[in-house]
Amino acid sequence: MKVGIGQDSHRFDFENKLKKLVLGGVVFEKEPPMQANSDGDVILHAITNAISGITCKNILGEITDKMCKSGITDSREYLKKALEDLIIIGEKIQHISISIEVKTPKMAPKIPEMRKSIAEILSIKENQVGITATTGEGLTAFGKGEGIAVIVILTTGN
């Protein structure tokens, strides 16, 4: 068994009225998007980083910057790139635990949809995807409503 830890965070872009907020591959209507050169899906970015922790090949950064410059801004594509490396080393995802720190929007109503989306992207069952959310009692910029932070712990086996 191997364990990967991934983290990502982005500020909200309160000025951008064209872009949508996307979390875990799910669109949150009427919410400010993330400041990012991609769709800014912090959940999928944190998952990608967790996989990189297992494969020892960083995807976010140089690889995704090139993808962005060629017009690929969908974070699902970045995650798929990380999954290719996981397959190469013969590992399979056993479970993923996702912790989200955010003041608003409220996550609870969308958690079932996000679990389903993430399970589909990762080719695992929904009961292998755990998602929790907290405001962190407003102690950080994320709990104060300035953005979203995500921490992921991912376990694999073969």
Side-chain angles (χ1 to χ4, degrees), residues 89-152:
I89 65 168
E91 293 289 327
K92 293 180 184 176
I93 296 171
Q94 301 300 317
H95 189 267
I96 184 166
S97 181
I98 302 163
S99 178
I100 307 164
E101 185 177 356
V102 62
K103 179 178 182 179
T104 184
K106 294 297 180 198
M107 295 291 108
K110 292 277 197 174
I111 285 176
E113 191 177 351
M114 288 190 293
R115 286 180 67 217
K116 181 178 184 191
S117 171
I118 293 164
E120 286 175 2
I121 296 166
L122 299 178
S123 298
I124 60 177
K125 296 176 184 173
E126 285 180 54
N127 68 1
Q128 292 173 276
V129 180
I131 301 177
T132 60
T134 182
T135 63
E137 301 299 328
L139 294 173
T140 68
F142 310 107
K144 292 176 182 173
E146 297 176 29
I148 301 175
V150 177
I151 296 173
V152 166

Side-chain angles (χ1 to χ4, degrees), residues 20-39:
K20 301 274 187 188
L21 175 63
V22 182
L23 298 172
V26 174
V27 174
F28 283 64
E29 296 291 342
K30 300 178 183 172
E31 299 292 345
M34 302 278 86
Q35 285 182 6
N37 55 3
S38 68
D39 60 14

Side-chain angles (χ1 to χ4, degrees), residues 37 58-69 78:
N37 55 3
N58 290 336
I59 299 299
L60 295 185
E62 188 176 330
I63 292 172
T64 54
D65 286 348
K66 287 179 185 176
M67 293 172 76
C68 260
K69 286 177 184 169
Y78 309 155

Side-chain angles (χ1 to χ4, degrees), residues 2 48-59 82 85-86 89:
K2 294 183 180 179
T48 300
N49 280 334
I51 293 170
S52 290
I54 293 171
T55 63
C56 300
K57 183 176 178 187
N58 290 336
I59 299 299
D85 294 329
L86 198 63
I89 65 168

